[in-house]
Amino acid sequence: LEGRAQDMEQAILIAWYEASSILSKEQQFQELINNIDSRTEEYSSIAALDGDDLVVTWRELMIELGDEMVMNDPEPLRQELEYRTQDLDRALKALNGEAPLSDFDDIIAEIEQRVLKKKE
């Protein structure tokens, strides 16, 4: 989860802040995807979890997110990224014993409410 939280933070930085990087936003997102791939390879070799659906889904989500940020109005995406980053941070605290495990129920309920609002 820590890697994913860092991915979200990096995506926010790429999308909304003018970086000192000479790379375009598209190139920066590709670099982020390459970092995810590298981390996935390391994780898979250690845990022998090649083909892990969650890892593949995360990678695809980040690619889609990068494409949308480059092509569309980033404000709704920025807001969603901030929510997801906060959700991941809270989940990490619960997993590390810094918050009660019951916080997972609250996180899930808040996500469900956001999804319902979007559908309206």
Side-chain angles (χ1 to χ4, degrees):
L1 285 176
E2 284 182 34
R4 292 181 182 189
Q6 291 170 355
D7 295 341
M8 298 299 279
E9 290 171 2
Q10 184 65 32
I12 290 169
L13 290 174
I14 293 168
W16 289 285
Y17 299 100
E18 291 302 319
S20 59
S21 174
I22 59 172
L23 300 175
S24 69
K25 289 187 186 292
E26 292 92 343
Q27 291 169 319
Q28 290 178 60
F29 270 108
Q30 184 56 52
E31 191 173 284
L32 175 59
I33 297 305
N34 292 343
N35 290 339
I36 292 170
D37 288 344
S38 175
R39 191 175 64 236
T40 300
E41 287 175 17
E42 291 173 23
Y43 176 76
S44 294
S45 65
I46 293 169
L49 292 175
D50 288 334
D52 183 350
D53 288 340
L54 289 176
V55 172
V56 172
T57 301
W58 180 253
R59 182 183 187 283
E60 291 171 358
L61 174 66
M62 293 306 291
I63 289 171
E64 180 182 324
L65 187 63
D67 291 346
E68 287 184 24
M69 286 184 172
V70 170
M71 299 170 80
N72 298 314
D73 174 19
E75 183 56 30
L77 294 170
R78 182 194 62 75
Q79 187 176 25
E80 184 62 26
L81 274 174
E82 287 180 358
Y83 286 138
R84 290 182 186 194
T85 301
Q86 291 169 2
D87 295 340
L88 286 168
D89 287 341
R90 290 174 56 203
L92 276 173
K93 286 181 182 177
L95 286 173
N96 291 331
E98 299 168 15
L101 288 177
S102 61
D103 279 6
F104 280 113
D105 294 330
D106 295 339
I107 294 167
I108 292 168
E110 290 170 16
I111 292 169
E112 288 173 345
Q113 287 176 355
R114 285 197 313 262
V115 169
L116 288 175
K117 272 186 175 180
K118 280 185 180 181
K119 288 182 180 180
E120 293 176 355

